Amino acid sequence: MIKCTVSVYLQYIFDANKIRQIETEEQIMRLKQKKIYLMIMLGLFLLVSGCGSQTDEKAAAVQQEPVNGTVPEKETASAENSETSNLRGKKILIAYFSHTKHTQQFAQIIQQNTGGDLFEIEPKNPYPTDYDTVVAQAKQEVNSGYTPELKQDIDTNYYDVIFIGTPVWWYTFAPPIRTFLTQHDLSGKVIIPFTTHKGSGLSGIDNKIKELQPDADILAGLAVWDDTAPKESDNIKKWLQGLNF
């Protein structure tokens, strides 16, 4: 009986120690798991932080680099200010072609705000007044690159700044404007386009002028809808102020 009791007691002690050992091992395992978990989380945190830093650096680099040759907005503003800061006091010519007198109204508003000289670019043979007829003629002339003979000319050497106004015909300037631009060398001068249109805006006319006058400085132009120039006089004035007039 005593042997049996001792045996049971020893077995109990053995089992208790074993249980404590198992519990200790489980605690150690849990600690190891927690340690591994913390290390993984730390690694992920460092990885995300590193990627975020690189992304921020790349984003900053993109903001500083020109996109398709375009200077960032702040730098563009500085460049335009430097180009136009000396426009006040310059000799200004406002040359325009106007078939329906809408572009003429635009030109007159520019003249009132800048004091420049007005010059109407007129073809020697006037365009027909019938809408369909002039549309068909304009299409043919634009497609062929026709340069109609002008009624009169002007000495552009006297001027520093030249506004060039035109209605938009078939997504470009009217043929008399092409004649004017091909007859004069405007190298070193400032050219500012303005247009009247029925939905096509400037139609890239600034770029087309640059093709014919590659050595001139082409500044930001303005387009107004058809016959609305008188109603847009405030916006025209703001545009001119933006050009430092």
Side-chain angles (χ1 to χ4, degrees), residues 100 102 131 168 196-201 224-227:
T100 59
H102 297 158
Y131 179 78
V168 177
T196 55
H197 66 97
K198 291 188 176 182
S200 51
V224 301
W225 178 273
D226 200 27
D227 60 348

Side-chain angles (χ1 to χ4, degrees), residues 99 128 130-141 169-170:
H99 180 248
D130 178 70
Y131 179 78
D132 292 334
T133 304
V134 74
V135 166
Q137 181 177 338
K139 183 177 182 180
Q140 182 181 8
E141 291 183 356
W169 282 7
W170 293 100

Side-chain angles (χ1 to χ4, degrees), residues 128-174:
T129 56
D130 178 70
Y131 179 78
D132 292 334
T133 304
V134 74
V135 166
Q137 181 177 338
K139 183 177 182 180
Q140 182 181 8
E141 291 183 356
V142 166
N143 290 339
S144 64
Y146 179 65
T147 53
E149 185 179 354
L150 300 183
K151 184 177 180 179
Q152 58 187 355
D153 201 2
I154 188 172
D155 184 6
T156 57
N157 293 323
Y158 176 76
Y159 298 97
D160 307 304
V161 179
I162 300 178
F163 285 86
I164 295 181
T166 178
V168 177
W169 282 7
W170 293 100
Y171 310 103
T172 187
F173 42 64

Side-chain angles (χ1 to χ4, degrees), residues 39-53:
M39 290 178 68
I40 291 173
M41 293 301 296
L42 179 61
L44 288 174
F45 175 77
L46 293 175
L47 179 62
V48 171
S49 299
C51 290
S53 177

Side-chain angles (χ1 to χ4, degrees), residues 108-116 233 236-237 240-241 245:
Q108 289 170 342
I109 295 173
I110 294 174
Q111 194 277 334
Q112 293 166 6
N113 285 275
T114 64
S233 58
I236 294 172
K237 186 175 181 179
L240 294 171
Q241 290 174 342
F245 283 104

Side-chain angles (χ1 to χ4, degrees), residues 22-180:
I22 292 172
E23 289 177 347
T24 302
E25 289 178 352
E26 288 179 351
Q27 290 175 352
I28 293 172
M29 183 62 68
R30 290 194 192 98
L31 289 174
K32 287 183 178 180
Q33 289 175 346
K34 288 182 180 181
K35 185 177 180 180
I36 292 172
Y37 174 78
L38 290 173
M39 290 178 68
I40 291 173
M41 293 301 296
L42 179 61
L44 288 174
F45 175 77
L46 293 175
L47 179 62
V48 171
S49 299
C51 290
S53 177
Q54 291 179 359
T55 302
D56 292 341
E57 290 176 1
K58 289 180 179 179
V62 170
Q63 290 175 359
Q64 293 298 323
E65 292 176 358
V67 179
N68 294 330
T70 303
V71 182
E73 184 176 353
K74 291 182 179 179
E75 294 184 15
T76 301
S78 299
E80 287 184 356
N81 288 336
S82 63
E83 288 181 2
T84 61
S85 59
N86 296 322
L87 292 185
R88 291 192 184 96
K90 296 291 186 179
K91 299 180 181 68
I92 301 169
L93 175 66
I94 306 159
Y96 67 93
F97 165 73
S98 185
H99 180 248
T100 59
K101 304 305 178 183
H102 297 158
T103 308
Q104 183 182 64
Q105 292 175 328
F106 196 165
Q108 289 170 342
I109 295 173
I110 294 174
Q111 194 277 334
Q112 293 166 6
N113 285 275
T114 64
D117 296 336
L118 284 172
F119 175 72
E120 184 173 4
I121 301 171
E122 300 178 87
K124 188 174 182 179
N125 298 315
Y127 286 95
T129 56
D130 178 70
Y131 179 78
D132 292 334
T133 304
V134 74
V135 166
Q137 181 177 338
K139 183 177 182 180
Q140 182 181 8
E141 291 183 356
V142 166
N143 290 339
S144 64
Y146 179 65
T147 53
E149 185 179 354
L150 300 183
K151 184 177 180 179
Q152 58 187 355
D153 201 2
I154 188 172
D155 184 6
T156 57
N157 293 323
Y158 176 76
Y159 298 97
D160 307 304
V161 179
I162 300 178
F163 285 86
I164 295 181
T166 178
V168 177
W169 282 7
W170 293 100
Y171 310 103
T172 187
F173 42 64
I177 297 297
R178 174 177 289 277
T179 302
F180 180 83

